[in-house]
Amino acid sequence: MSSHQCTVLRTKLTQLECHFTWDLRKEDTDLTDLLNRLQDQTELDLGGQEGAARTHSFLGFVKFLLDSNNEALSNFQRSVEVVKELHGNKCGQLLLVSYGNLAWLHYHMDNYVESESYLNKLEEIKEKYPPDSSSVLDANLLGEKGWTFLKFYRKYYDRAEECFRKALELEPEQGEWNSGLAIVLYRTETESVSSTESPTIKQLRRAIETNPDDNVVKVLLALRLCFHKEYSEAESLVETALERTSDHPHVIRYVAKYFQQKGSVDRSTALLRRALEKVPNSAFIHHQLALCYKKTKIYLQRASSHHSKDAAIKQARKQCIYHLERATELKPSFTLAMNELALQYGENQDLSKAEEMFKLARQTVEKRNENLQMFHKFYAVFQQYSMKCEPLAIEHYTKCLKLNSKTYEGKESAKHLTKIAERRIRKNSQDGDAFGILGLVHKEQGDRQRAQEYYEKALGYVHNDEYLSNLCELQLAVE
């Protein structure tokens, strides 16, 4: 093929809708974790027959990113086979993404004739559909894109939401797209609005209405209702989901999370262990198990001070650390698990390993430009309780609070700073820096009047340029 023909071919390829043209950058995701999740889906048939084609297509693209072109080809071809097995001659519109992937893969493998043959197949499919049916084609492509963005990485959630919304504008009753949008909103909603006003809860209900067999969204709704302390409906949803899919690991893991939130740690642990037997390479399940053992450890620490409990506490911490280590091995970018693991190392007085893990966590969050606030909160707790270094604890609680006072991490940092300041004032009523801390907390929370009062008290005992600057800023804002 001449260079001109090659250029023409590539131009045609760039106009396709498939994984190769959706701007999926491998540096944005954790390929190890993504590969594990997709392989679990294919091996356990978690997406059902309809989802199998999508999973194979996505898995093929991941294999391509990992330079395994032959495995990529096998998965793309399997995706086509599954669609044809399910829909026979009426499957044309469902093959657009798979054929697009195959055209691109053959191009990368220098099989230009094969690449062109798939471009011709795509043209034949489009010619079979009249112009007024383009909305069906567009809805399917948007839905496929939505699921891809949702599974690829959290940075792509906004793009996933946009795709699902556009797909639902074309096909509002489509159950899969409603479920996809519900899951995106569940993972991204941060505002603590009431259950009747929550867009997430409204969409979860809509997803159940249009896709009544989706038991995952039922449990997600139960989790959100549990957050709002609406336990009766939540319990009913959980029991229904368990009755209908008691062996589905995705359902089990969310049910386990529900019981963990309600305080039924033993039941949650048992369910997660059951799920782990089916998906041993799930970083999510290992992380949830670690949190169960952490809660067990905390309960034992509070329940008794007798030495007879020491062995049980050590065992719970050991299990917690083991599952966190597995989670971070399976998903090297799992910064929440990394921070939690570092904290557990600190509790175990393995301070060098703790510092090393925190260093790795910070490098990861800075590289990905996400979860920096979470890092500061965890590191502050580590400095306060394991290292007994209050100045560094205050420094990192402050950094966390300044990043966003409305998030869970921001609110927790405000609580810690307030407790530190109030304890210091009880010991010394003229501790200007303690009043300065309270001034900062109220300033970040938007309470200007109280912030001014505390900064004025602070400046009555210490000279501090930052306190003075903050006070002037608050006074000017009022004027």
Side-chain angles (χ1 to χ4, degrees), residues 33-49:
D33 176 62
L34 180 57
L35 183 64
N36 285 335
R37 286 188 284 122
L38 292 171
Q39 286 177 331
D40 285 341
Q41 281 191 266
T42 56
E43 290 169 12
L44 298 171
D45 193 26
L46 297 183
Q49 287 183 309

Side-chain angles (χ1 to χ4, degrees), residues 83-291:
V83 171
K84 288 182 175 179
E85 287 167 6
L86 284 173
H87 302 282
N89 295 327
K90 299 179 180 180
C91 66
Q93 60 179 319
L94 302 173
L95 291 172
L96 296 177
V97 173
S98 296
Y99 279 171
N101 284 333
L102 281 162
W104 265 103
L105 182 63
H106 282 296
Y107 172 80
H108 283 292
M109 296 173 73
D110 298 332
N111 298 332
Y112 300 126
V113 173
E114 282 293 317
S115 180
E116 285 188 315
S117 74
Y118 280 104
L119 284 175
N120 293 332
K121 288 180 181 180
L122 286 166
E123 282 301 315
E124 291 171 8
I125 290 172
K126 291 175 183 177
E127 287 172 2
K128 288 180 182 178
Y129 289 88
D132 59 356
S133 67
S134 62
S135 63
V136 177
L137 297 177
D138 291 342
N140 276 296
L141 285 170
L142 286 163
E144 291 293 307
K145 272 176 100 168
W147 282 114
T148 299
F149 290 144
L150 178 61
K151 291 179 181 179
F152 196 69
Y153 202 65
R154 65 175 65 249
K155 281 185 179 179
Y156 292 69
Y157 285 171
D158 288 346
R159 291 157 72 181
E161 181 180 346
E162 182 183 3
C163 286
F164 285 129
R165 288 194 184 280
K166 286 182 177 179
L168 288 168
E169 286 175 9
L170 299 170
E171 291 190 352
E173 300 301 316
Q174 222 285 357
E176 266 201 295
W177 313 152
N178 274 293
S179 290
L181 178 58
I183 293 170
V184 174
L185 293 180
Y186 175 85
R187 294 182 184 178
T188 56
E189 185 180 89
T190 56
E191 294 297 320
S192 299
V193 295
S194 68
S195 61
T196 55
E197 296 174 347
S198 167
T200 298
I201 289 179
K202 288 178 183 177
Q203 184 57 38
L204 285 165
R205 293 192 189 284
R206 175 67 177 150
I208 294 169
E209 179 187 333
T210 57
N211 199 7
D213 294 329
D214 191 335
N215 291 292
V216 170
V217 294
K218 288 175 187 172
V219 185
L220 293 181
L221 176 56
L223 280 165
R224 196 46 61 103
L225 291 172
C226 182
F227 175 80
H228 290 283
K229 297 182 170 53
E230 297 181 19
Y231 298 118
S232 178
E233 184 183 357
E235 200 77 25
S236 175
L237 286 163
V238 166
E239 294 302 330
T240 300
L242 272 179
E243 284 173 13
R244 294 183 179 181
T245 48
S246 60
D247 62 343
H248 193 302
H250 286 176
V251 172
I252 292 172
R253 75 183 195 179
Y254 286 122
V255 169
K257 189 175 181 178
Y258 169 81
F259 285 126
Q260 185 189 128
Q261 287 186 4
K262 278 196 68 180
S264 303
V265 180
D266 288 345
R267 190 172 181 184
S268 178
T269 303
L271 282 168
L272 288 167
R273 286 207 162 280
R274 200 168 96 200
L276 198 62
E277 291 175 4
K278 289 184 172 292
V279 281
N281 293 327
S282 170
F284 178 94
I285 293 176
H286 278 290
H287 179 244
Q288 288 298 312
L289 264 172
L291 296 182

